[in-house]
């Protein structure tokens, strides 16, 4: 069979809409995806059996070395919501606060908050059939409720662009409004402190921390960025704000989030460093400011990121040692520098 025929045959077999409701893009490589997924399916089946044994007879899931190892190898879709709720602490908070979510929705009106959220509704996943107004049920209403409740819950943050994408993914996985709210609270309130506040100091700090880590681990890339005056915020801000949603393939994002809920924000640095290290030679070919920005868009595409199982193995080996102590120290110095700049 010719490559074109192979591609068409794969296109006929692989559904045009993925299991989460996203339409596959025009340039989607159906043949490469089919080849990857046939091997990944074997891994998923094996992991599902192991997870079923681990969770058997247990209502809750606690952090442990075994759970950490299992999570790094991937959480099957049918267990994902339960695992995220357990390891993030969201389940415990939800149980300690019965009825709280619904009380937030019935609270006093806030016109500016409602308007800000409503404005972003149609911009959230236009390529996902479940978020279209024609869908039944349409997830836009669920998304609106989760974001509105969170805005009332955390007035210091309210609503910030980027939170719509994150809440949208949570809804697709949990299929539960209240659980999505508590998982959003785990991410915005604890795992990613100060990413979505009006000043976004936590987000700005972590972009600078990535810059410092690149300076240490991949000095040639740092020198290129410095030489052309490219600020890290220009090339990686969406990686951090959207937690790789709409940047990396869906399955890869979900595998990253498995670890993010369990191990915390250092996972974001591991992913970013792996993307940059894997494509270092390609990035170093850049000869201009615009060229660098374009290459950072390119490195989030292709088989390296689609093959999520191998990719996840790489994020724990490629960047080398990366302790929370190191990150905490860098955060402290980068935050102080940002505050001094005003």
């Amino acid at each position: 069979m010719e490559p074109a025929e192979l591609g068409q045959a794969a296109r006929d077999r692989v559904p045009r809409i993925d299991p989460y409701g996203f339409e596959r893009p025009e340039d989607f490589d159906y043949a490469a995806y089919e080849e990857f997924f046939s091997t990944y399916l074997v891994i998923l089946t094996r992991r599902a059996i192991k997870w079923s044994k681990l969770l058997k007879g247990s209502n809750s899931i606690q952090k442990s070395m075994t759970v950490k190892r299992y999570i790094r190898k991937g959480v099957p879709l049918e267990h994902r919501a339960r695992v995220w709720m357990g390891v993030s602490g969201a389940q415990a908070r939800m149980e300690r606060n019965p009825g709280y979510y619904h009380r937030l929705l019935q609270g006093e009106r806030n016109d500016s908050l409602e308007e800000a959220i409503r404005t972003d509704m149609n911009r959230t996943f236009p390529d996902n059939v479940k978020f279209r107004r024609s869908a039944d049920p349409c997830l836009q209403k669920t998304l609106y409720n989760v974001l509105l409740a969170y805005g009332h819950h955390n007035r210091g943050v309210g609503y910030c662009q980027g939170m719509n994408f994150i809440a949208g993914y949570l809804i697709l996985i949990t299929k539960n409004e209240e659980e999505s709210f508590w998982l959003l609270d785990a991410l915005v309130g604890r795992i990613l402190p100060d990413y979505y506040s009006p000043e976004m100091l936590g987000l700005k700090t972590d972009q600078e921390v990535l810059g410092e880590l690149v300076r240490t681990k991949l000095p040639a890339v740092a020198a290129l960025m410095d030489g052309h005056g490219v600020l890290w915020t220009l090339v990686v801000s969406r990686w951090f704000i959207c937690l790789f949603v709409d940047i990396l393939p869906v399955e890869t994002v979900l595998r990253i989030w498995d670890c993010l809920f369990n191990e915390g924000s250092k996972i974001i640095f591991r992913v970013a460093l792996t993307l940059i290290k894997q494509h270092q030679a390609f990035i170093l070919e850049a000869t201009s400011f615009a060229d660098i920005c374009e290459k950072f868009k390119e490195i989030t595409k292709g088989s390296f990121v689609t093959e999520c199982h191998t990719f996840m193995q790489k994020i724990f080996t490629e960047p080398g040692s990366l302790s929370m102590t190191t990150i905490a120290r860098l955060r402290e110095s980068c935050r102080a520098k940002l505050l001094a700049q005003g």
Side-chain angles (χ1 to χ4, degrees):
M1 251 192 185
E2 293 295 311
E5 290 173 358
L6 279 171
Q8 187 54 51
R11 187 182 279 264
D12 294 340
R13 285 189 297 266
V14 176
R16 196 178 60 83
I17 293 167
D18 77 11
Y20 308 100
F22 290 98
E23 291 177 325
R24 303 199 191 274
E26 282 300 310
D27 59 353
F28 187 75
D29 190 335
Y30 284 85
Y33 178 79
E34 189 177 48
E35 190 182 337
F36 150 69
F37 200 76
S38 61
T39 55
Y40 188 47
L41 200 55
V42 177
I43 295 166
L44 283 176
T45 308
R46 195 167 63 234
R47 299 310 312 161
I49 294 165
K50 286 182 177 284
W51 271 102
S52 293
K53 282 181 186 168
L54 180 75
L55 296 171
K56 199 174 180 184
S58 161
N59 287 329
S60 63
I61 181 161
Q62 304 295 328
K63 289 188 177 191
S64 70
M65 285 311 290
T66 302
V67 167
K68 181 178 179 178
R69 194 173 73 247
Y70 271 47
I71 287 174
R72 284 187 174 192
K73 290 180 179 178
V75 182
L77 182 57
E78 64 266 31
H79 299 307
R80 198 163 250 146
R82 184 176 164 193
V83 171
W84 286 4
M85 288 293 288
V87 297
S88 67
Q91 184 71 38
R93 290 201 175 210
M94 185 171 80
E95 287 168 7
R96 283 200 303 272
N97 297 280
Y100 177 68
Y101 173 71
H102 296 288
R103 285 197 301 277
L104 287 170
L105 287 176
Q106 289 153 11
E108 61 187 87
R109 298 283 303 265
N110 180 330
D111 291 343
S112 62
L113 175 67
E114 290 173 27
E115 184 54 34
I117 295 169
R118 207 173 283 117
T119 301
D120 271 357
M121 282 298 104
N122 288 328
R123 297 180 196 158
T124 309
F125 304 137
D127 58 340
N128 189 303
V129 295
K130 297 180 183 184
F131 282 90
R132 294 210 178 125
R133 284 187 176 168
S134 54
D136 184 24
C138 170
L139 291 182
Q140 280 195 18
K141 178 60 180 162
T142 309
L143 178 62
Y144 178 82
N145 284 349
V146 170
L147 293 171
L148 183 65
Y150 194 77
H152 285 308
H153 164 70
N154 186 342
R155 290 169 194 270
V157 168
Y159 170 71
C160 171
Q161 280 187 332
M163 285 166 63
N164 52 327
F165 292 110
I166 292 166
Y169 259 48
L170 295 174
I171 290 162
L172 288 171
I173 296 305
T174 63
K175 300 179 175 63
N176 182 300
E177 238 178 79
E178 191 175 7
E179 288 183 2
S180 298
F181 165 80
W182 287 108
L183 284 169
L184 186 63
D185 179 52
L187 283 170
V188 177
R190 299 192 297 285
I191 296 171
L192 308 167
D194 240 3
Y195 267 40
Y196 304 96
S197 61
E199 292 77 31
M200 290 183 153
L201 185 60
L203 173 75
K204 291 171 185 169
T205 299
D206 279 2
Q207 289 170 178
E208 294 305 314
V209 168
L210 176 63
E212 290 304 314
L213 289 168
V214 171
R215 201 175 300 286
T216 309
K217 295 173 180 285
L218 303 161
V221 175
L224 177 77
M225 300 280 284
D226 291 344
H228 289 280
V230 180
L231 300 174
W232 282 101
T233 185
L234 285 172
V235 289
V236 300
S237 64
R238 283 189 68 238
W239 295 7
F240 285 86
I241 293 172
C242 299
L243 302 179
F244 301 102
V245 171
D246 257 11
I247 291 152
L248 296 178
V250 183
E251 198 59 49
T252 308
V253 175
L254 296 172
R255 288 288 302 268
I256 292 166
W257 284 22
D258 290 344
C259 298
L260 182 64
F261 278 116
N262 188 49
E263 298 182 51
S265 55
K266 73 174 176 183
I267 295 300
I268 302 173
F269 297 109
R270 285 200 165 279
V271 173
L273 286 167
T274 302
L275 285 169
I276 296 165
K277 186 174 181 184
Q278 178 71 22
H279 299 97
Q280 181 174 210
F282 175 70
I283 293 166
L284 292 175
E285 289 169 6
T287 54
S288 68
F289 187 103
D291 210 4
I292 293 170
C293 295
E294 189 52 41
K295 289 198 182 300
F296 267 85
K297 283 185 193 147
E298 288 297 316
I299 66 174
T300 59
K301 299 172 187 159
S303 61
F304 180 64
V305 293
T306 301
E307 292 168 12
C308 56
H309 197 64
T310 317
F311 180 79
M312 291 307 289
Q313 289 169 338
K314 292 258 186 188
I315 76 164
F316 293 109
T317 53
E318 287 298 301
S321 165
L322 190 62
S323 69
M324 272 317 283
T325 314
T326 302
I327 290 168
R329 194 185 70 245
L330 286 171
R331 275 177 171 158
E332 207 175 311
S333 60
C334 290
R335 187 180 287 117
K337 210 178 293 177
L338 285 165
L339 288 169
Q341 289 167 3

